[in-house]
């Protein structure tokens, strides 16, 4: 499989409903909860790409463009954007959809860096 084919095959999309137990006093999704969901999708994407043990080592510039209200559906999309020797970068976007209306909007996006490790927790080459 080529690098491009691996990137395409590892693209990950997850849908979630935003319930009140995940929102703050403004009835919008907690920023930390959004980051947790993004890291999870990034991890799945990185693992699907490499099929190796991957650990998060960095999150870069997470931009909150729009608040995410309770009672909406969110789609999280992860895609590998860069592959290095022992690390790779995954971009994650969160889109908001109203439950009972058409359309969607980009709410949050950010980048996560992962490193491939062995059983001794030492960095190893990412399988491309």
């Amino acid at each position: 499989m080529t690098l491009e084919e691996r990137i395409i095959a590892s693209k990950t999309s997850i849908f979630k409903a935003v319930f009140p137990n995940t929102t703050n006093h403004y009835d919008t999704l907690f920023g930390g909860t959004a980051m947790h969901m993004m890291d999870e999708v990034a991890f799945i994407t990185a693992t699907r790409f490499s099929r190796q043990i991957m650990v998060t080592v960095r999150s870069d510039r997470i931009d909150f463009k729009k608040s995410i209200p309770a009672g909406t559906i969110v789609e999280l999309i992860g895609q590998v954007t860069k592959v290095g020797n022992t690390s790779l970068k995954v971009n994650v976007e969160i889109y908001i959809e109203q439950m009972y209306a058409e359309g969607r909007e980009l709410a949050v996006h950010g980048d996560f860096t992962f490193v491939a490790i062995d059983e001794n927790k030492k960095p190893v080459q990412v399988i491309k």
Side-chain angles (χ1 to χ4, degrees):
M1 187 179 296
T2 69
L3 179 62
E4 186 176 323
E5 289 170 333
R6 259 187 197 281
I7 289 171
I8 291 167
S10 65
K11 184 175 181 179
T12 302
S13 178
I14 295 176
F15 289 87
K16 294 186 175 275
V18 179
F19 292 112
N21 66 325
T22 61
T23 61
N24 58 29
H25 58 290
Y26 296 114
D27 262 352
T28 59
L29 187 68
F30 277 113
T33 302
M35 290 170 30
H36 169 89
M37 294 187 316
M38 291 173 79
D39 188 33
E40 182 179 352
V41 169
F43 165 76
I44 293 167
T45 304
T47 302
R48 291 179 72 212
F49 175 87
S50 69
R51 299 299 176 176
Q52 294 171 273
I53 300 169
M54 302 298 289
V55 293
T56 309
V57 295
R58 182 177 178 148
S59 59
D60 292 323
R61 191 174 171 115
I62 297 175
D63 291 321
F64 294 85
K65 301 287 190 185
K66 185 166 179 49
S67 59
I68 301 173
T72 56
I73 297 167
V74 292
E75 180 182 17
L76 295 99
I77 301 171
Q79 181 145 5
V80 173
T81 57
K82 183 178 180 186
V83 181
N85 231 3
T86 61
S87 66
L88 57 82
K89 188 173 276 195
V90 177
N91 177 264
V92 179
E93 298 175 325
I94 301 180
Y95 290 89
I96 307 169
E97 294 183 14
Q98 299 301 319
M99 286 196 185
Y100 308 110
E102 296 294 324
R104 63 191 221 145
E105 298 177 83
L106 178 63
V108 185
H109 63 89
D111 294 306
F112 294 79
T113 304
F114 288 81
V115 169
I117 60 171
D118 64 16
E119 60 278 347
N120 298 312
K121 300 182 182 173
K122 301 289 183 204
V124 295
Q125 187 169 4
V126 173
I127 296 171
K128 299 176 187 173

